[in-house]
Amino acid sequence: MDHFISSTLIRQSSVQFGTSGARGLVVDFTPELCCAFTLAFIKLLQQSQDVQRIALAIDNRPSSPEIAAWCAAAVQQLGLELDYYGVIPTPALAYAAMKQGVAAIMVTGSHIPFDRNGLKFYRPQGEITKQDELKMLSVEVPFSLPVHAAELTLNPAAAHDYKQRYLDWFPQDLAKGLTIGIYEHSSAGRDIYAELLQQLGACVIRLGRSDHFVPIDTEAVSEEDEQKAVLWTQEHQLDLLFSTDGDGDRPMVADEQGCWLRGDVLGLLAAKALKIQALAVPVSCNSAIEQSGWFLQVLRTRIGSPYVIEAFDQLEQYPAVAGFEANGGFLLASDLQKQERYLTALPTRDAILPLLAVIELARGRAVSELLSELPKRFTASQRLSDFATELSQQLLSKAAMNADHFVSDLGLDTKVLSVDTTDGLRFTLTNGDIVHLRPSGNAPELRCYAESVSEPKAKALVAKVLAKVPALILHL
């Protein structure tokens, strides 16, 4: 029987930690590597606490059940108990694990294509940190591959508890009178969302369900999905259209006109609805957050939920703290209370909370009315796919040496007012526009974010920048 060392297998593999979890090609998630990651995670936990049980769940990717079965085999090899919750959203797993005080593993590649997958790890207190990830890479656990993958028995409790979390907080008639469409595609939470919204009084129209995995990126909505939103909204006279990425931790919400809201705008409105006092948000989020004047403090972080969570420690003096990302994922850092209702903290990205919070904020008004009251700052983003991370880093390194020259090469007739290197390169220009370039932490992509005084201008700015980048690469 072959013997392995966890750290050696992980370091030699092509699976790497990105902005949120370990990601890689499905073919690289061998049984040995699945066991190595699982054992390294448990060993990390055992350095500071007793470990008796692990919670496990998956998304709808075709590769997820087998990866989960090998992770479960490693758990059982150590003699630990296992709760397998099947296909549920990542925040549902995190909530179940925190409620029970156990650690958890989520098998998901989130929004990336179906030929890739990933693993997310949770301590009983929430997501592991970047420091935890580094420790997992160095933990040496000798092991032999289990004889076979584990047989998994479904426990439905996590799905039920996740729905109940929101039924206990929001009024029973929250969505009464609303017609809400759910773009289900292959989202891990598609059945949960319909049931929850119906229980809150909505007339639910289920749309676009797919038996094949659909890689929805909430930060780069496809033209096809933009068209679907408009057509569905008109056809069914929707008040709202809701969807998520693959593992249900990033929301997509379209208003009554079928226009998808930017994730950071959705987060901004949700934070107001929840009466949040202090926020931690990534540097890529819309500057309307500060300009709104709704918050006592706003901290800007690197992109990725671990960095947002890390920043919560600096906001402990405030009773109501939260964070959100440009992708819309909402992280609640504080326990909230209103009258006899309670909402416990869930410091991991969640898709359903911002939807329900905005429904409550609107209460009789169209969502587009809420948008009209925000500061006139609009963002857009897109990406260059199959763009090597090394090329992105070389390009941005050169750009940082002469920002004005780089902006000129991009064809922008303006100068640079300031440069933010918190994560990638974010240029604030003298005309008030913002351009932010950053290599993706999960895939070989170069992402471009732009901010301007109108949505068409922001979109045009992104398109112009990304059209110029390939030519600039030739001169590196």
Side-chain angles (χ1 to χ4, degrees):
M1 182 178 292
D2 292 333
H3 296 277
F4 306 97
I5 303 294
S6 62
S7 57
T8 302
L9 272 177
I10 294 171
R11 286 197 302 265
Q12 290 178 349
S13 77
S14 298
V15 177
Q16 299 180 344
F17 281 107
T19 53
S20 181
R23 304 280 176 83
L25 292 169
V26 168
V27 294
D28 293 327
F29 278 96
T30 62
E32 296 86 352
L33 187 65
C34 295
C35 290
F37 267 109
T38 303
L39 294 171
F41 173 54
I42 294 172
K43 181 68 173 179
L44 172 69
L45 295 172
Q46 290 175 333
Q47 292 175 356
S48 58
Q49 62 195 94
D50 183 39
V51 181
Q52 299 293 331
R53 181 180 294 272
I54 299 292
L56 180 67
I58 63 174
D59 66 11
N60 268 315
R61 292 169 185 269
S63 58
S64 292
E66 184 175 0
I67 292 175
W70 283 109
C71 291
V75 171
Q76 294 172 351
Q77 189 178 57
L78 293 178
L80 304 182
E81 296 296 322
L82 179 78
D83 287 314
Y84 175 64
Y85 294 117
V87 178
I88 57 172
T90 294
L93 172 66
Y95 179 61
M98 291 178 66
K99 187 175 180 181
Q100 297 174 32
V102 302
I105 300 172
M106 180 72 186
V107 181
T108 179
S110 186
H111 65 281
I112 59 179
F114 78 97
D115 63 338
R116 299 170 180 268
N117 213 322
L119 297 168
K120 293 181 180 179
F121 301 95
Y122 289 82
R123 287 179 176 273
Q125 301 79 19
E127 289 185 37
I128 65 171
T129 65
K130 288 297 177 184
Q131 291 74 24
D132 287 334
E133 290 177 356
L134 290 174
K135 290 176 182 177
M136 283 179 62
L137 297 178
S138 60
V139 168
E140 296 188 358
V141 183
F143 71 97
S144 299
L145 185 68
V147 176
H148 50 74
E151 293 185 10
L152 300 173
T153 302
L154 179 65
N155 182 340
H160 172 271
D161 290 350
Y162 184 58
K163 285 183 292 186
Q164 197 61 45
R165 165 182 169 82
Y166 300 109
L167 293 172
D168 289 343
W169 174 254
F170 289 101
Q172 289 184 346
D173 63 346
L174 175 74
K176 186 177 180 180
L178 297 179
T179 301
I180 299 177
I182 301 178
Y183 175 21
E184 295 187 330
H185 58 91
S186 53
S187 171
R190 57 191 182 184
D191 295 324
I192 290 175
Y193 306 141
E195 293 173 6
L196 174 60
L197 288 169
Q198 286 169 344
Q199 286 181 268
L200 290 170
C203 171
V204 173
I205 308 294
R206 304 174 73 159
L207 303 159
R209 192 179 183 96
S210 174
D211 293 329
H212 304 285
F213 185 79
V214 180
I216 297 289
D217 186 346
T218 63
E219 285 188 86
V221 180
S222 69
E223 184 176 338
E224 179 184 0
D225 285 336
E226 288 183 347
Q227 293 172 352
K228 283 179 180 177
V230 173
L231 291 173
W232 283 336
T233 300
Q234 292 175 347
E235 179 183 354
H236 300 285
Q237 296 184 315
L238 302 178
D239 296 293
L240 283 171
L241 176 63
F242 174 65
S243 191
T244 75
D245 65 337
D247 69 322
D249 68 349
R250 307 179 187 194
M252 288 173 61
V253 175
D255 65 15
E256 76 285 355
Q257 298 170 4
C259 297
W260 293 112
L261 277 64
R262 294 286 307 175
D264 45 10
V265 171
L266 177 65
L268 173 58
L269 293 172
K272 180 184 182 182
L274 294 168
K275 297 181 172 56
I276 298 300
Q277 296 168 308
L279 283 173
V281 295
V283 66
S284 57
C285 285
N286 194 306
S287 61
I289 297 166
E290 287 89 352
Q291 293 182 23
S292 70
W294 294 340
F295 311 102
L296 298 176
Q297 187 173 353
V298 178
L299 286 180
R300 294 279 179 161
T301 75
R302 291 182 63 184
I303 295 173
S305 54
Y307 299 110
V308 174
I309 294 167
E310 189 177 87
F312 288 155
D313 290 340
Q314 301 176 54
L315 301 172
E316 288 181 330
Q317 68 270 35
Y318 300 101
V321 178
F324 53 83
E325 298 185 273
N327 57 43
F330 198 93
L331 304 92
L332 184 62
S334 304
D335 294 339
L336 303 182
Q337 179 181 0
K338 57 180 179 183
Q339 298 175 344
E340 297 302 314
R341 294 177 178 267
Y342 298 89
L343 186 66
T344 56
L346 184 58
T348 193
R349 281 192 303 252
D350 188 20
I352 197 68
L353 178 58
L355 167 71
L356 300 179
V358 167
I359 291 174
E360 186 171 44
L361 183 65
R363 275 297 191 177
R365 293 194 294 166
V367 171
S368 61
E369 290 184 48
L370 301 180
L371 300 177
S372 68
E373 298 170 357
L374 296 176
K376 304 307 177 186
R377 299 298 296 170
F378 296 85
T379 50
S381 62
Q382 272 298 340
R383 59 190 174 179
L384 289 178
S385 300
D386 298 320
F387 198 92
T389 301
E390 295 78 7
L391 281 180
S392 295
Q393 292 170 340
Q394 291 174 31
L395 177 69
L396 299 189
S397 178
K398 184 176 180 180
M401 291 188 288
N402 192 330
D404 278 323
H405 182 71
F406 180 69
V407 166
S408 178
D409 286 345
L410 291 174
L412 307 180
D413 186 21
T414 184
K415 296 292 184 181
V416 176
L417 183 64
S418 63
V419 179
D420 189 328
T421 58
T422 300
D423 200 338
L425 279 180
R426 183 175 171 90
F427 302 104
T428 299
L429 307 176
T430 52
N431 65 1
D433 290 345
I434 294 174
V435 174
H436 182 188
L437 290 168
R438 170 186 172 270
S440 170
N442 295 322
E445 300 171 348
L446 177 66
R447 289 186 177 268
C448 177
Y449 310 82
E451 185 176 317
S452 192
V453 294
S454 72
E455 185 175 7
K457 287 186 176 181
K459 287 183 175 181
L461 188 54
V462 168
K464 187 171 187 177
V465 169
L466 291 182
K468 290 283 187 178
V469 165
L472 298 182
I473 293 297
L474 298 176
H475 301 289
L476 290 178

